[in-house]
Amino acid sequence: MSNIVKISSEDIIYHLKISCQLPSLLDAIATRTIITETAEKEGITIEIAELQQTADSLRLANNLIKAEDTWEWLQKHYLTLDNFEEIANINLLSAKLAHHLFAEKVEPFFYAHQLDYSGAVTYEIILDDEDLALEIFYALQEGEISFQEVARQYIENPEIRRAGGYQGIRKRSDFRPEIAAAVFAANPPEIIKPVITPKGVHIIIVEEIIAPELNEQMRVAILGDLFTNWLKEQINKLEIVATLGDEINSPPSPIQIFSEAS
């Protein structure tokens, strides 16, 4: 067997089809068009210095310190220098468009959804037996046994067991609704009454509730969420048709995409 495998563009399209990756790829293509068309409509421009800075950040993010590293990375991804510049351009355009559309909406959105950004520091054990869970819960309340002892006995995952069931800092959306309701109603430090879910019976210690702060990291996260949701809404308005060689299923022109998305 030869050590060289030749792959054509038709092979690539065929693989995307049979691996069911085409829908997400078409969405990504349409998304890029929506961003460029909307940015042009909104009068957003890019300066050379901004593009250079974004390109430098892109190189650092991919650990492309030396020129040789950059050339190897470009070859690996079948990219030209012009392609690399286009990646930097669309990244920068996306960031500027997101800021243009939603920067002033971040603060009101944060305060309207403040509870969603609260965090909880928890420890958790999941059991199969409700009666056993209640028995352990009352024993913990009476101080007859420590949570660490229970964790060592009933948690199978070695890493979580060594950490005593520690779950880290989790947002409300990270919990199932029935657990979130109990966790964020707790008065830390508190062991909440066992909660039953399809996964089992959860015994949870709420160590701390962390009030959210609108810092720079939070602003970036909210801005990203608002922009992503907006893009999804624009995609949902489209009928994407792709031409795949022997089949007619082709993407509409940028003008069609923009007019239908408006």
Side-chain angles (χ1 to χ4, degrees):
M1 179 179 174
S2 171
N3 290 330
I4 299 175
V5 176
K6 295 184 178 180
I7 299 174
S8 67
S9 57
E10 290 79 9
D11 294 328
I12 295 170
I13 292 174
Y14 182 71
H15 176 76
L16 290 170
K17 289 172 66 175
I18 65 172
S19 59
C20 301
Q21 296 181 59
L22 268 179
S24 59
L25 177 63
L26 295 176
D27 281 355
I29 294 170
T31 296
R32 189 176 71 244
T33 304
I34 290 168
I35 290 170
T36 55
E37 293 283 343
T38 307
E40 183 178 355
K41 178 185 175 183
E42 297 295 327
I44 295 173
T45 58
I46 290 177
E47 302 295 333
I48 296 298
E50 294 177 311
L51 186 60
Q52 182 61 59
Q53 185 177 2
T54 303
D56 292 342
S57 298
L58 184 59
R59 289 182 59 189
L60 287 174
N62 288 281
N63 201 30
L64 307 178
I65 308 302
K66 300 178 182 177
E68 295 83 356
D69 299 331
T70 303
W71 281 113
E72 287 177 9
W73 186 85
L74 291 173
Q75 289 179 332
K76 176 182 177 181
H77 294 282
Y78 295 85
L79 296 170
T80 65
L81 281 174
D82 287 342
N83 295 147
F84 185 83
E85 182 177 322
E86 178 59 23
I87 294 171
N89 185 79
I90 193 65
N91 287 352
L92 179 55
L93 205 58
S94 298
K96 295 188 76 168
L97 180 60
H99 188 272
H100 174 79
L101 293 177
F102 298 107
E104 294 183 0
K105 298 180 181 180
V106 168
E107 189 166 336
F109 183 89
F110 170 76
Y111 287 111
H113 300 82
Q114 197 164 355
L115 290 177
D116 295 335
Y117 293 99
S118 297
V121 179
T122 61
Y123 293 77
E124 180 181 64
I125 298 166
I126 304 176
L127 302 172
D128 296 326
D129 189 324
E130 184 179 0
D131 291 334
L132 175 60
L134 284 170
E135 181 182 333
I136 291 174
F137 168 69
Y138 290 121
L140 288 167
Q141 280 195 320
E142 296 298 324
E144 297 172 3
I145 190 171
S146 71
F147 197 87
Q148 286 70 26
E149 291 175 298
V150 179
R152 282 196 296 269
Q153 186 172 351
Y154 292 102
I155 295 178
E156 294 183 3
N157 183 293
E159 293 298 323
I160 299 177
R161 183 173 63 245
R162 293 186 193 107
Y166 179 62
Q167 299 296 304
I169 302 173
R170 302 169 73 189
K171 294 191 300 184
R172 182 178 291 267
S173 60
D174 296 327
F175 295 96
R176 292 181 61 89
E178 60 269 45
I179 293 179
V183 165
F184 287 94
N187 184 23
E190 181 181 348
I191 304 171
I192 61 176
K193 191 171 182 180
V195 180
I196 301 174
T197 75
K199 291 183 65 176
V201 188
H202 303 248
I203 302 176
I204 299 172
I205 288 182
V206 182
E207 183 177 85
E208 183 182 0
I209 299 293
I210 302 173
E213 178 186 351
L214 189 56
N215 53 26
E216 187 58 27
Q217 183 179 0
M218 181 67 73
R219 285 183 182 275
V220 170
I222 293 175
L223 187 65
D225 289 343
L226 292 173
F227 188 54
T228 298
N229 291 336
W230 176 80
L231 286 171
K232 288 178 181 177
E233 289 174 3
Q234 306 312 303
I235 289 292
N236 289 337
K237 296 176 184 178
L238 302 178
E239 179 184 356
I240 300 174
V241 187
T243 301
L244 304 175
D246 57 338
E247 298 176 7
I248 296 203
N249 212 356
S250 92
S253 70
I255 293 177
Q256 285 177 289
I257 286 178
F258 186 76
S259 62
E260 292 179 19
S262 350

